[in-house]
Amino acid sequence: VDGADSFDPGSFSGTACSKLLWVRCRSAVEMIKAADLLVHDGNVPFVLLDTTGLVRRDLSALPASAWWRLKQNVERTGGRLVVMASFPLVPCAALRLSLSAGLSLRDFDSPRDELLDRLQVQSEGLRRAT
């Protein structure tokens, strides 16, 4: 679910996008509603919410109850939900990961594989479902 309609499918191969359902949204509210429909349906086993490009104030205004409902529906259907955000956004997240690579403008033309090798992942905690 593309929260700010910013995904560029042209930067990936057709094979990489062959099983992709791209939901284009223009606001945080649209994004959360689209995710709720996909998760509730249960036929999409993996849902990725990309919040990049959305205004932090709008994301922070989403009610905690919306996140809890998503979590409960994901648990009920056995699916997976991943939220990409630049700050801790989901109050009921079971696992929070922080990714960093220390990139600069000089790295803009570097090959994707080289950049992925520099990626560092840090777990910020695991919460038990209640």
Side-chain angles (χ1 to χ4, degrees), residues 96-125:
R96 190 167 283 137
L97 299 175
S98 176
L99 305 176
S100 63
L103 302 176
S104 69
L105 287 177
R106 284 185 235 167
D107 299 310
F108 191 81
D109 291 325
S110 298
R112 184 176 286 181
D113 291 340
E114 182 182 312
L115 298 176
L116 288 173
D117 287 341
R118 293 172 50 189
L119 191 64
Q120 297 175 3
V121 181
Q122 179 182 0
S123 174
E124 294 185 6

Side-chain angles (χ1 to χ4, degrees), residues 1-4 6-7 31 48-54 82-85:
V1 179
D2 185 2
S6 59
F7 176 65
M31 178 196 66
L48 172 69
L49 266 68
D50 181 0
T51 70
T52 56
L54 291 172
V82 173
V83 179
M84 289 185 354

Side-chain angles (χ1 to χ4, degrees), residues 8 12 16-17 19 24 36 40 43-44 49 55-56 66 74 76-77 86 95 112 115 123 127:
D8 177 19
F12 294 91
C17 295
K19 296 183 180 183
R24 301 167 72 181
D36 194 42
H40 185 74
N43 286 312
V44 180
L49 266 68
V55 178
R56 184 175 182 148
V74 166
R76 179 184 55 80
T77 62
S86 60
L95 177 63
R112 184 176 286 181
L115 298 176
S123 174
R127 295 185 184 165

Side-chain angles (χ1 to χ4, degrees), residues 15-26:
T15 304
C17 295
S18 66
K19 296 183 180 183
L20 174 70
L21 171 63
W22 177 23
V23 181
R24 301 167 72 181
C25 303
R26 290 185 173 84

Side-chain angles (χ1 to χ4, degrees), residues 51-98:
T51 70
T52 56
L54 291 172
V55 178
R56 184 175 182 148
R57 178 189 52 203
D58 295 342
L59 290 167
S60 297
L62 293 171
S65 61
W67 296 112
W68 280 100
R69 184 174 52 250
L70 276 174
K71 179 181 176 164
Q72 289 171 336
N73 282 329
V74 166
E75 289 172 349
R76 179 184 55 80
T77 62
R80 295 287 180 252
L81 175 69
V82 173
V83 179
M84 289 185 354
S86 60
F87 64 97
L89 173 63
V90 183
C92 56
L95 177 63
R96 190 167 283 137
L97 299 175
S98 176

